[in-house]
Amino acid sequence: MKTLTKLLLLAACLPALAPAAAPVADTDTITTVEVNAQRDPEWIGYRRAYKAAAFFGPFVRTRPLIQAHLQVRPLRPDLPLDGLRLSVAGARTRFEVPVDAMGRAVLPMEKQAYEDDAVITLNRQKGNYYFSGRYSIRERDDGLYDASLLREACEQLLAAQRASGYRMRLLGKQCAGVTIVYPAGSTPEVALESGAEAPRALAPQAAHPFEDGSMGLYQVVTVRFADLPAGARVNAVTRPLAIGTVYE
């Protein structure tokens, strides 16, 4: 099984993969949502997601600092992303796909699932979530990000978006910084290191994690390139959920 690591387009610039249904009333508990979802879950055809991946894959293949995922996105920012699960089921196919805390998933490239045109279902009732995509900067295991690396990653992401067909929407936009995303209410440790100076803590603020503002509020450390001294680096001691971009 090969992993499908190049999926779709940054949500800020990509239409949903399936038409969004009208929102439904909130349910009282997660348990109730699960029961309803078994009757009428949100879904998308595996073959459709596969073809989308084949189209967008080349735009990240030569840009090693960024990644792309299938993403489960809420129709309202207040809807939770915790506890999401994707199931793939067809005539001869059945498996589950992990979903991270940002709603992102990497689907396996399964020939059998493609031939079956299996269905990808979400364990939530239709009308509250939908499938789209997300570009983001790759997180590093050591948490160390040179200023030059962050700039290059932002440029790669912007270039991928433009090459994917949204050049006009991004006309005149330039990379101004990055957003380092953490769970709401957390107290992450992120510091700016520059030469012999003592590391300076970077405080998070409640903000939307990505440019499109479609998701709820997270703890976000915004790093602007104009504020970075030459040779500086960002030390994300607390591993982030995701890293986005800032355009101006």
Side-chain angles (χ1 to χ4, degrees), residues 58-79:
F59 303 118
V60 296
R61 187 171 299 131
T62 58
R63 298 176 173 95
L65 298 180
I66 66 172
Q67 59 192 345
H69 291 87
L70 172 69
Q71 188 182 38
V72 180
R73 295 177 60 191
L75 285 174
R76 301 195 316 272
D78 61 305
L79 291 171

Side-chain angles (χ1 to χ4, degrees), residues 32-162:
T32 304
V33 174
E34 294 282 350
V35 171
N36 289 340
Q38 291 175 10
R39 303 194 197 106
D40 190 22
E42 198 68 67
W43 65 275
I44 183 178
Y46 182 91
R47 191 176 295 173
R48 189 176 181 186
Y50 184 108
K51 291 179 178 179
F55 175 78
F56 290 109
F59 303 118
V60 296
R61 187 171 299 131
T62 58
R63 298 176 173 95
L65 298 180
I66 66 172
Q67 59 192 345
H69 291 87
L70 172 69
Q71 188 182 38
V72 180
R73 295 177 60 191
L75 285 174
R76 301 195 316 272
D78 61 305
L79 291 171
L81 293 177
D82 57 309
L84 298 182
R85 294 195 310 275
L86 292 177
S87 299
V88 180
R92 296 162 295 176
T93 308
R94 186 172 299 275
F95 55 89
E96 289 199 348
V97 179
V99 180
D100 72 10
M102 302 300 294
R104 301 177 304 182
V106 177
L107 295 179
M109 182 74 84
E110 277 281 359
K111 179 181 178 182
Q112 193 68 71
Y114 183 89
E115 292 177 351
D116 287 350
D117 195 13
V119 173
I120 304 170
T121 57
L122 174 68
N123 63 329
R124 292 292 184 271
Q125 188 177 21
K126 187 176 291 184
N128 286 308
Y129 300 83
Y130 66 103
F131 299 97
S132 186
R134 177 72 68 188
Y135 279 135
S136 59
I137 295 172
R138 289 186 180 275
E139 304 88 22
R140 291 177 56 88
D141 290 337
D142 62 9
L144 299 175
Y145 302 86
D146 291 340
S148 58
L149 181 142
L150 291 175
R151 287 177 182 271
E152 176 59 24
C154 184
E155 294 291 348
Q156 287 186 13
L157 203 153
L158 180 58
Q161 290 177 260
R162 286 173 169 158

Side-chain angles (χ1 to χ4, degrees), residues 2 4-5 24 123 133 158 174 185 191 203 211 213-214 227-228 243:
K2 297 181 180 179
L4 177 60
T5 57
V24 298
N123 63 329
L158 180 58
Q174 296 182 345
E211 288 266 318
S214 63
D227 299 333
L228 294 179
I243 305 177

Side-chain angles (χ1 to χ4, degrees), residues 190-209:
V190 182
L192 178 63
E193 300 177 349
S194 179
E197 297 180 8
R200 176 167 61 87
L202 300 178
Q205 294 182 328
H208 295 289

Side-chain angles (χ1 to χ4, degrees), residues 157-179:
L157 203 153
L158 180 58
Q161 290 177 260
R162 286 173 169 158
S164 300
Y166 290 86
R167 187 175 301 274
M168 292 303 297
R169 183 176 296 183
L170 296 169
L171 186 65
K173 295 291 187 180
Q174 296 182 345
C175 283
V178 298
T179 54

